[in-house]
Structures are given as C-alpha cells and as structure tokens.
C-alpha cells in the first residue's frame, strides 16, 4: 500500500469538499437540525444530557452519509476522470481508502462543533465523562460504517441520485435490523441483532467498550471498502 497515493486522494477530496458548498451545507444543516432537538429537549426535560445528540446523529446519518459520498466515485465515472486515475500508478483500494478517509474527516468536522453542547452542559450540570467519550467514539464508528457503505453505493453507478438511493437503502436496512426482532424467530433474530448498527452503538454509547462491537465496526467498514474496490477492479478489466 502506497500511503502517498492515499494521502494525495485524501487531500484532493477534502479540498473538493470545502471548495464547493457541499461541506458547508452538510455542516450547517446538520447543526441546525441537531441544535433544535438538543435545545428543545434541554428546556423540556430540564436535564443536562447529550442523549439527544447520540440518538439523533445516527438517524440523521441515514441521509447525510449517502449525500456526502454520492458524488465521490459516481461523478468521476460519469466525467471520465476515474479512468485517468486508474491509468496512473495507483491501486483501486488506495483510491477507495483515500476517498473514504476524506468523507470521514468531513464527518469529524461536522461533529466537532457539537462539543459546545458538552461545554454548555458542564457549566449547568454534571455529566458522566465516560459515557460522553463512549458516545462520541460510537458516533465516529457508526459514521465510518455508514460512509463506507455509501462509498460502495457510489461505486456501483454513474448516477448520483441512484448512488444516493442505493446507499440510503443499505444503511437503512442495517439501522432497522434490531427494530424488527420481535417478528423474527430467535435463531434469525440473534444474527440480525449482531448485524444491526444501532445495537452495537447503544452498547458503546453507554460507555461500555466491548471488543465485539469494535470488531463489528471494523469488519463492516473493511467489507464495504473491499466491495467498492472489487467494483473498481472489474471496471479496469472491462
């Protein structure tokens, strides 16, 4: 693996995010929606808690992750610039990794301003620092999976709208798996529960760092990026 190639793709994509309205629209819209729910919950319940941030962010990511990544590969396919990248001494997995890391970095910058909620609550109440750290770690891991899946969704088509819908469908299914366990046999329910993104996040958000949850997230990201790489490799030989 050539880390210089990954770094080149990473900074190229990150610059393209912030040189266009994409990054600013994502960050502003996310903060407006989350801020409304946070302040409403704070004044209604009168409790110093970040639970609203941790509960709403995965739901918002269902739409934001596909929107952030839908152009990453599909646009390059449509414009023909992907062929130029592939002809250079750069491997497909380096392209995928660099683009994924750039979208993950954008997600990090989107989450960063929410630390002001934590600072505000520290002054008006007491917070469990362990659960806050676990919550933000969980959000970064959930975001990694959603973004990796969405990168795969962007790799299978040249149409950005189709990429968005494909990614939204996959992440929605992964998000909802543990919500329909009541209707499933116990043998299948156990498997579906383990495959559910939200099930693993709920454990980490409570401040419980379990190796099984970490392994799940790493495996989900790795598998999604691997599938995206396979799609690009097939394109090289077509």
């Amino acid at each position: 693996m050539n880390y210089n190639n990954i770094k080149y793709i990473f900074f190229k994509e990150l610059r393209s995010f912030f040189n266009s309205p994409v990054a600013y629209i994502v960050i502003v819209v996310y903060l407006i929606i989350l801020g409304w729910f946070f302040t409403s919950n704070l004044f209604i319940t009168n409790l110093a808690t970040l639970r609203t941030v941790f509960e709403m962010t995965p739901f918002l990511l269902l739409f934001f992750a596909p929107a952030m990544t839908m152009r990453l590969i599909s646009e390059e396919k449509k414009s023909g610039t992907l062929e130029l990248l592939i002809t250079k001494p750069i491997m497909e997995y380096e392209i995928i990794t660099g683009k994924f890391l750039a979208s993950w970095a954008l997600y990090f910058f989107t989450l960063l301003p929410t630390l002001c909620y934590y600072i505000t609550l520290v002054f008006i109440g007491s917070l469990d620092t362990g659960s806050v750290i676990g919550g933000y770690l969980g959000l970064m891991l959930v975001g990694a999976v959603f973004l990796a899946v969405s990168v795969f969704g962007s790799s299978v088509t040249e149409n950005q709208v189709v990429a968005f819908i494909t990614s939204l469908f996959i992440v929605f299914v992964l998000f909802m798996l543990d919500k329909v366990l009541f209707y499933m046999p116990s043998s299948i329910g156990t498997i579906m529960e383990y495959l559910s993104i939200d099930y693993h996040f709920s454990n980490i958000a409570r401040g419980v760092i379990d190796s099984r949850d970490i392994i799940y997230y790493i495996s989900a990201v790795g598998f999604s990026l691997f599938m995206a790489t396979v799609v690009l490799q097939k394109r090289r030989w077509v």
Side-chain angles (χ1 to χ4, degrees):
M1 180 178 290
N2 190 327
Y3 292 101
N4 287 329
N5 287 340
I6 294 176
K7 185 170 69 173
Y8 166 77
I9 296 294
F10 170 78
F11 284 110
K12 171 180 173 292
E13 292 300 333
L14 198 59
R15 281 195 301 270
S16 70
F17 278 134
F18 285 97
N19 287 337
S20 68
V22 174
Y24 307 102
I25 292 173
V26 168
I27 293 174
V28 171
V29 173
Y30 167 79
L31 291 176
I32 289 175
I33 296 174
L34 189 63
W36 186 85
F37 281 102
F38 173 76
T39 52
S40 299
N41 184 73
L42 179 63
F43 289 114
I44 291 173
T45 63
N46 200 30
L47 293 175
T49 176
L50 284 172
R51 194 172 73 175
T52 304
V53 175
F54 300 145
E55 288 180 351
M56 286 301 302
T57 296
F59 177 76
L60 294 176
L61 267 178
L62 290 175
F63 305 93
F64 280 93
M68 289 162 62
T69 59
M70 63 182 183
R71 53 161 289 277
L72 282 182
I73 301 174
S74 59
E75 184 180 8
E76 296 215 37
K77 279 186 174 183
K78 188 174 182 179
S79 63
T81 54
L82 184 61
E83 280 71 13
L84 293 176
L85 269 179
I86 293 177
T87 57
K88 293 182 178 181
I90 182 170
M91 302 302 295
E92 286 83 356
Y93 62 83
E94 294 169 348
I95 297 173
I96 295 295
T97 302
K99 288 177 177 290
F100 162 72
L101 291 177
S103 63
W104 201 22
L106 174 59
Y107 173 61
F108 170 78
F109 289 122
T110 304
L111 276 183
L112 197 59
T114 64
L115 289 177
C116 68
Y117 301 150
Y118 171 73
I119 296 172
T120 301
L121 293 179
V122 166
F123 285 104
I124 64 176
S126 59
L127 288 175
D128 181 2
T129 304
S131 63
V132 172
I133 294 174
Y136 274 105
L137 173 62
L139 290 183
M140 287 302 298
L141 293 173
V142 169
V145 176
F146 279 16
L147 291 167
V149 170
S150 299
V151 167
F152 166 70
S154 180
S155 70
V156 298
T157 179
E158 296 180 357
N159 189 301
Q160 293 187 39
V161 176
V162 174
F164 176 85
I165 295 173
T166 302
S167 303
L168 176 61
F169 174 76
I170 298 174
V171 296
F172 180 77
V173 169
L174 291 174
F175 182 78
M176 292 298 295
L177 281 177
D178 66 331
K179 312 293 189 302
V180 296
L181 297 179
F182 179 77
Y183 305 100
M184 300 295 171
S186 58
S187 56
I188 300 177
T190 303
I191 298 174
M192 292 179 62
E193 184 179 56
Y194 183 78
L195 293 177
S196 169
I197 290 179
D198 205 38
Y199 166 73
H200 293 279
F201 172 69
S202 62
N203 293 334
I204 298 178
R206 293 195 301 267
V208 179
I209 309 299
D210 193 319
S211 59
R212 289 173 295 182
D213 300 322
I214 304 298
I215 291 171
Y216 165 80
Y217 284 116
I218 294 175
S219 302
V221 170
F223 179 74
S224 299
L225 298 182
F226 169 75
M227 292 303 297
T229 301
V230 170
V231 172
L232 289 196
Q233 288 174 338
K234 287 186 177 180
R235 188 178 180 87
R236 179 190 287 268
W237 303 111
V238 172

